[in-house]
Amino acid sequence: MRTVAVVGASLAGLSAARSLRKQGFDGRLVVIGDEPHRPYDRPPLSKEFLAGTLGEAELALETEDEDLAAEWLLGTRATGLDHTARAVRLADGREVRADGFVIATGAVARALPGSDGLAGVHTLRTLDDARALRDELARGGRLVVIGGGFIGAEVASTAYALGLDVTVVEAAATPLAGPLGATMGAVVSGLHADHGVRLLCGVGVKGLSGEHRVDAVLLEDGRSVPANIVVVGVGARPCVEWLAGSGIALDNGVKCGADGRTSLAGVVAVGDCANWYDPRAGHHRRVEHWTGARERPEAAVATLLAGGAVEPGVPRPPYFWSDQYGVRIQFAGHAGEADSVTVEAGAADDRDVLAVYRRAGRPVAVLGMNQPRLFMRVRKELAAATS
Amino acid sequence: MMIPACRLADLPRGEAFRLDTDPPVSVFHTDDGEVYAIDDTCTHQDASLADGWLEGCEVECPLHASKFDLRTGAVDSPPAKLPVRTHEVVVEDGMIYVRLSTDAPNLPPCISARLAGGPA
Ligand SMILES: Cc1cc2nc3c(=O)[nH]c(=O)nc-3n(C[C@H](O)[C@H](O)[C@H](O)COP(=O)(O)OP(=O)(O)OC[C@H]3O[C@@H](n4cnc5c(N)ncnc54)[C@H](O)[C@@H]3O)c2cc1C
Ligand code: FES
């Protein structure tokens, strides 16, 4: 393999580039990214960066003396993959020919239909989004967060700490019931009420009102919640439109094997855009967490360099963290598989808890709130037990 | 400065003991029976490495999984970018002593800000 093109210059793309060099690839390495920035870390965007306690320089994912001997094409969007010609087409008309490709284009925040052009309405995915939101939050006022998922909850928590009046609107009966199950979803989202942040559940959003600037969020039950800043945190969708027509199999992102291989030879996909086969579960799963985007490129790159001739290993169970209202939330595994959840240390009411999820008595997931030590132990057991 | 930590017999292999110095320091007893001391706070964010996972001569941070080498303090994988400080360990009459390094510690931004009297 002489040239590898990595498309997407964030965590998964950078991790792939690092793995390529670490695994001995010494050919031409081209990294293409549509943002103008060098790779930066997203988790602080809803936390320390938004709060103003962490600056832009500290978001950098690369170390100061790091040199991957790569060509960086930043601020350039890939618009197509031509597998026959083995080339990536770019928006500016250029073409990058390569014999290996890593797709790492991540995900984009979903917007609220009809909110275009209304000032005060934000989504949060990129550094540019975070700069804009940080500047608005600094002026204070009433914030309504649409969506009680992790990003929405983190923004609510950060804005609360900055002194804003905060309301969270969630369409489901219990926030976070998807990733955590209903019982623990209620415990974690109880953090809002603990801090006097209003949480309106089980009601959808009909639309926004305002002339040039948003002034209220209109709910489906007829209520109207005043707002001068709105953050839409209703999830993200994989960035894969640019692959249409390439012949690659797409299904909720790029469909991949357990080692990141795609339906096209010499093409692997990693990170939030990739729907990997999970051998433990027996089906595909797209995981939108930091640790997977950081760890899985290693396996995908090994597959790429070996021309697909390696046995896929079993990846560690998915893991994520979230920081809300000063509480450290950690989760590993799959809540959806559990038939029981038990609190094994601490107390749910104190938001200091270790909960183990089991299926037929076997642990399948674990949640920790301010329990890093015990959490780590169970997480390790989980990885060992299910591999 | 030499600080008494704990008795070697009270620190089983595979375990860590945290000293309440400022910044805190942790002593690790590896499965091979070696004893090492490093700064307890991860250089990425405010996490205690004594809560981490010890494997061989490496400890994995309990929050975001960066791994630090107990012998050199070097970090092998992101998100942490800077090494932790290492401290000399002396075992005498069954007691573990730590000689604190005089190097400047690599504390995460949130803690450095707090020590400097800035926002927590
Ligand atoms: C605000 C926020 C907070 C988060 N907090 C946490 C947390 O606390 N814990 C946790 O586990 N995870 C968290 N995450 C998730 C984590 O950041 C992601 O899982 C991770 O960034 C995924 O990395 P990635 O490289 O796959 O995708 P991304 O980081 O989305 O990067 C993809 C890159 O590809 C670029 N791109 C897209 N299309 C093209 C194209 N056609 N051509 C060129 N470039 C393209 C994008 O602009 C982007 O720069 C958070 C995410 C956000 C947004
Ligand atoms: S706090 Fe240790 S790796 Fe992030």
Side-chain angles (χ1 to χ4, degrees), chain A:
Chain A
M1 194 157 287
R2 308 232 309 257
T3 304
V4 174
V6 176
V7 189
S10 178
L11 178 62
L14 175 66
S15 302
R18 281 178 172 150
S19 292
L20 277 160
R21 291 306 189 205
K22 218 170 171 177
Q23 294 179 31
F25 172 71
D26 59 4
R28 182 172 172 231
L29 175 57
V30 185
V31 186
I32 301 157
D34 66 349
E35 292 186 72
H37 316 291
R38 298 294 290 201
Y40 60 87
D41 211 17
R42 289 180 209 277
L45 297 182
S46 49
K47 312 176 183 83
E48 301 87 349
F49 180 78
L50 205 55
T53 54
L54 197 80
E56 282 185 26
E58 287 142 348
L59 293 178
L61 283 171
E62 294 162 285
T63 52
E64 256 159 48
D65 52 357
E66 182 161 15
D67 182 11
L68 294 168
E71 291 164 45
W72 294 82
L73 303 181
L74 299 178
T76 342
R77 168 166 287 266
T79 51
L81 175 68
D82 184 337
H83 193 241
T84 329
R86 314 245 11 119
V88 177
R89 278 193 305 274
L90 306 183
D92 59 12
R94 280 185 289 176
E95 223 180 55
V96 177
R97 290 180 163 272
D99 31 22
F101 300 87
V102 178
I103 297 173
T105 44
V108 276
R110 285 203 169 89
L112 200 65
S115 61
D116 279 4
L118 202 55
V121 184
H122 297 261
T123 52
L124 180 54
R125 179 81 198 179
T126 65
L127 174 57
D128 297 349
D129 295 341
R131 284 176 179 159
L133 181 59
R134 187 191 51 187
D135 293 349
E136 277 223 291
L137 293 181
R139 279 185 249 135
R142 283 170 185 268
L143 168 72
V144 175
V145 178
I146 303 178
F150 286 106
I151 298 218
E154 288 173 4
V155 170
S157 144
T158 307
Y160 159 81
L162 290 172
L164 281 85
D165 175 87
V166 186
T167 304
V168 178
V169 181
E170 165 63 47
T174 312
L176 306 170
L180 301 184
T183 315
M184 296 318 290
V187 171
V188 172
S189 58
L191 284 168
H192 294 301
D194 294 352
H195 293 85
V197 166
R198 275 181 303 279
L199 174 62
L200 308 176
C201 289
V203 56
V205 168
K206 197 165 64 186
L208 303 175
S209 86
E211 280 281 313
H212 303 291
R213 187 178 182 90
V214 68
D215 57 33
V217 174
L218 309 174
L219 305 184
E220 271 169 351
D221 60 8
R223 275 182 292 175
S224 156
V225 188
N228 51 354
I229 311 169
V230 168
V231 173
V232 181
V234 296
R237 60 176 174 75
C239 271
V240 292
E241 304 86 350
W242 68 280
L243 290 165
S246 66
I248 204 166
L250 298 176
D251 170 19
N252 180 28
V254 181
K255 202 168 177 185
C256 296
D259 52 2
R261 76 183 70 199
T262 68
S263 62
L264 298 180
V267 184
V268 294
V270 290
D272 284 14
C273 68
N275 191 11
W276 280 43
Y277 180 73
D278 180 339
R280 291 198 189 98
H283 55 78
H284 286 75
R285 277 190 218 273
R286 193 166 64 81
V287 175
E288 287 185 6
H289 306 318
W290 196 97
T291 306
R294 151 72 195 85
E295 290 178 350
R296 292 191 174 185
E298 202 172 314
V301 158
T303 309
L304 187 70
L305 293 178
V310 288
E311 262 312 296
V314 177
R316 295 211 269 183
Y319 163 70
F320 66 83
W321 74 88
S322 176
D323 298 310
Q324 299 169 25
Y325 304 100
V327 175
R328 228 152 222 174
I329 298 156
Q330 297 176 281
F331 187 87
H334 298 289
E337 287 167 10
D339 53 31
S340 73
V341 187
T342 39
V343 169
E344 315 225 325
D349 288 346
D350 299 341
R351 319 292 178 210
D352 156 24
V353 73
L354 185 88
V356 178
Y357 297 61
R358 291 192 173 77
R359 180 189 188 84
R362 280 171 49 113
V364 291
V366 55
L367 169 76
M369 294 175 85
N370 282 342
Q371 290 280 1
R373 188 187 186 90
L374 290 176
F375 177 86
M376 184 91 178
R377 263 133 241 243
V378 183
R379 181 184 171 203
K380 289 281 172 183
E381 277 169 34
L382 211 61
T386 47
S387 61

Side-chain angles (χ1 to χ4, degrees), chain B:
Chain B
M1 190 170 42
M2 269 297 236
I3 298 182
C6 61
R7 304 202 65 80
L8 184 59
D10 293 339
L11 184 63
R13 293 186 181 197
E15 294 289 326
F17 178 83
R18 183 164 56 218
L19 273 156
D20 269 335
T21 44
D22 189 19
V25 164
S26 279
V27 179
F28 292 85
H29 194 181
T30 69
D31 288 326
D32 292 338
E34 304 284 343
V35 182
Y36 298 99
I38 60 172
D39 275 349
D40 178 60
T41 313
C42 182
T43 60
H44 176 234
Q45 281 174 15
D46 187 9
S48 162
L49 294 173
D51 287 345
W53 188 261
L54 187 59
E55 203 160 301
C57 273
E58 276 190 334
V59 61
E60 179 180 330
C61 174
L63 283 195
H64 315 128
S66 280
K67 286 185 186 155
F68 295 89
D69 189 316
L70 299 177
R71 296 162 298 190
T72 61
V75 60
D76 92 314
S77 68
K81 283 183 277 191
L82 296 173
V84 287
R85 238 177 7 165
T86 56
H87 306 278
E88 193 191 332
V89 171
V90 179
V91 182
E92 235 175 61
D93 299 329
M95 189 71 194
I96 303 172
Y97 295 89
V98 175
R99 191 192 307 274
L100 288 186
S101 161
T102 51
D103 297 346
N106 287 325
L107 296 172
C110 49
I111 303 240
S112 317
R114 197 186 64 209
L115 291 183

